[in-house]
Amino acid sequence: MTGFARREGGDEAASWTWEVKSVNGRSLDMRARLPQGYESLDPVVRSAVSAACARGNVQVNLSMKRGNAPLQLQVNEELLQQVLDLMGDLEKRTKATPASLDGILGLRGILEAVEEEEAPERQEARLKALQKDLKAVLEALVTMRAAEGARLQDMARGHIDEIERLAKAARSCAATQPETLKQRFKDQVALLLEENTGVSEERLTQELAILAGKADVREELDRLAAHVEASRELLAQGGAIGRKLDFLCQEFNREANTLCSKSADVELTRIGLDLKSAIEQLREQVQNIE
């Protein structure tokens, strides 16, 4: 299921932003982008996402900004020594005026501004705050996904109602009535016997009985009704039902295909095609349900 959530936080030395987004996926696929120095949060993020989401492609991003933490100036000793050695060598070879202290310190790289090293207690407190905000942003994502899931379930119920309506229309279609089937095959038997095909009446009756059984779609309609009931039970059950509903859509489609292949009636074929369309619409929705 799709969803997006954002959470901002910070302390006296840094500010941060958690962003989490998810799109539909058959299984859980999680990716985290963490700034340098915070790689230790990766297993924490993966564990939290696994606990919050059962399916979906989930992207977690953490961005950090330095706050107003005091900076310290320090001398790059290695670079300074190289400059002094070079100056000493040049003084021996030339009559140049020795460089002043402010001139040396003004050279690029001699003085460096670095952040004051944080106490371990402050770093630990920040990690705890980051984990707290991570939990909050995932809760917001789950809430959004749940709201979308509720809308998808309402749409799925509508498609299931349409499947049930079409299945009932197929059951009431004249072509599916036993009397109609019997009369149609009696007429065919009489026509073939009149044409003197050379086939015995007993053999012909057996073959037509087999064809009549194949043309009877009542079994397929019974299974469609059972799948409708099972789908409604799953929607009422809630939870991680997406895969189960996807499997039922495959079974729905199997019965609709068989109904169309057996049909020798224009109206029944039309109903079967409408059934396939309604089932496809349901399948598209349930693939987005966790």
Side-chain angles (χ1 to χ4, degrees):
M1 277 185 264
T2 58
F4 176 82
R6 177 187 176 95
R7 176 85 173 187
E8 296 181 351
D11 56 23
E12 66 278 3
S15 62
W16 57 79
T17 302
W18 284 106
E19 287 187 351
V20 185
K21 59 183 178 181
S22 70
V23 295
N24 182 54
R26 293 182 63 86
S27 58
L28 180 60
D29 181 20
M30 196 281 293
R31 297 183 181 181
R33 295 177 60 184
L34 304 173
Q36 185 177 1
Y38 293 88
E39 294 84 355
S40 61
L41 286 173
D42 186 78
V44 177
V45 171
R46 294 184 179 278
S47 177
V49 171
S50 297
C53 306
R55 288 176 58 192
N57 297 318
V58 182
Q59 176 74 53
V60 181
N61 295 325
L62 172 63
S63 58
M64 301 288 300
K65 290 183 179 180
R66 188 182 63 82
N68 297 320
L71 298 178
Q72 288 184 332
L73 291 177
Q74 69 177 20
V75 176
N76 186 327
E77 296 289 347
E78 182 178 352
L79 183 58
L80 176 60
Q81 188 60 52
Q82 292 180 21
V83 171
L84 293 176
D85 291 343
L86 181 59
M87 287 174 56
D89 181 59
L90 290 174
E91 286 177 1
K92 296 177 181 178
R93 296 163 54 187
T94 67
K95 296 181 180 180
T97 303
S100 61
L101 179 60
D102 60 340
I104 296 175
L105 293 178
L107 292 174
R108 183 178 179 180
I110 297 297
L111 278 182
E112 298 176 332
V114 297
E115 294 184 14
E116 182 181 357
E117 185 175 353
E118 285 188 318
E121 296 79 8
R122 178 180 290 183
Q123 295 178 3
E124 184 66 24
R126 180 175 300 134
L127 288 175
K128 288 183 179 179
L130 282 166
Q131 293 179 44
K132 181 179 179 181
D133 285 343
L134 171 64
K135 180 180 179 181
V137 76
L138 287 174
E139 288 175 350
L141 177 72
V142 169
T143 299
M144 184 176 182
R145 283 162 58 106
E148 186 199 12
R151 292 192 295 270
L152 291 175
Q153 286 193 12
D154 288 340
M155 296 175 67
R157 289 188 182 95
H159 294 315
I160 292 172
D161 290 343
E162 177 66 5
I163 292 171
E164 182 181 45
R165 185 191 70 78
L166 290 169
K168 289 181 178 179
R171 192 180 293 276
S172 62
C173 182
T176 65
Q177 302 305 310
E179 295 77 10
T180 303
L181 291 172
K182 290 178 182 178
Q183 186 58 50
R184 187 174 70 189
F185 285 108
K186 283 182 179 179
D187 293 341
Q188 290 177 345
V189 170
L191 179 62
L192 290 172
L193 290 175
E194 287 178 2
E195 292 178 355
N196 192 21
T197 59
V199 180
S200 68
E201 182 175 354
E202 181 181 359
R203 176 62 177 172
L204 189 57
T205 302
Q206 290 175 351
E207 292 297 327
L208 289 175
I210 293 174
L211 291 175
K214 291 181 178 180
D216 189 354
V217 297
R218 286 175 296 178
E219 185 176 347
E220 285 72 26
L221 294 175
D222 288 342
R223 284 197 289 266
L224 279 172
H227 297 334
V228 165
E229 186 65 25
S231 299
R232 286 175 173 157
E233 289 177 358
L234 279 175
L235 287 173
Q237 171 186 326
I241 59 174
R243 289 185 178 180
K244 295 179 181 178
L245 284 172
D246 189 45
F247 172 76
L248 279 175
C249 284
Q250 297 177 35
E251 297 303 304
F252 272 127
N253 204 47
R254 192 193 315 278
E255 305 306 333
N257 284 334
T258 305
L259 186 146
C260 289
S261 66
K262 285 186 174 183
S263 175
D265 178 81
V266 174
E267 178 62 17
L268 185 59
T269 300
R270 184 192 65 78
I271 294 173
L273 293 175
D274 289 344
L275 256 175
K276 288 171 64 67
S277 176
I279 292 166
E280 179 61 22
Q281 292 174 355
L282 174 63
R283 188 188 65 83
E284 291 176 357
Q285 296 303 328
V286 302
Q287 287 187 343
N288 292 320
I289 297 177
E290 185 171 304

